[in-house]
Amino acid sequence: MRFSLPRTPVLFLYGLAAAFLIYWHWRHILDALPFLVVLACPLMHLFMHHGHGHRQDTRPADKSDSPKA
């Protein structure tokens, strides 16, 4: 038999735990913010540079098919 809690109380407990951690350890969180920004840079580079038009699934157009003027 599998035990499963409803989602709302679990999310409430996670939120409560996060609030207590932030309340009691806010100074540690503030100390870590510069490092988190530096660590976010490589992730943003990997995940946010997909829209520059560098598509690998399209083939370049064949120039021999173009009409000659």
Side-chain angles (χ1 to χ4, degrees), residues 1-63:
M1 181 176 197
R2 186 175 162 181
F3 180 72
S4 176
L5 287 175
R7 183 175 287 176
T8 305
V10 172
L11 291 177
F12 177 75
L13 288 175
Y14 284 159
L16 191 62
F20 276 117
L21 283 174
I22 290 170
Y23 180 75
W24 291 107
H25 298 284
W26 65 273
R27 180 67 182 167
H28 302 295
I29 294 170
L30 290 178
D31 289 342
L33 279 179
F35 298 107
L36 293 176
V37 170
V38 170
L39 289 174
C41 291
L43 292 175
M44 289 186 340
H45 182 75
L46 287 174
F47 294 114
M48 296 180 75
H49 280 277
H50 58 79
H52 289 293
H54 301 290
R55 299 192 51 122
Q56 300 295 327
D57 58 345
T58 59
R59 292 177 39 172
D62 190 10
K63 294 186 182 197

Side-chain angles (χ1 to χ4, degrees), residues 60-69:
D62 190 10
K63 294 186 182 197
S64 64
D65 291 340
S66 62
K68 298 191 183 202

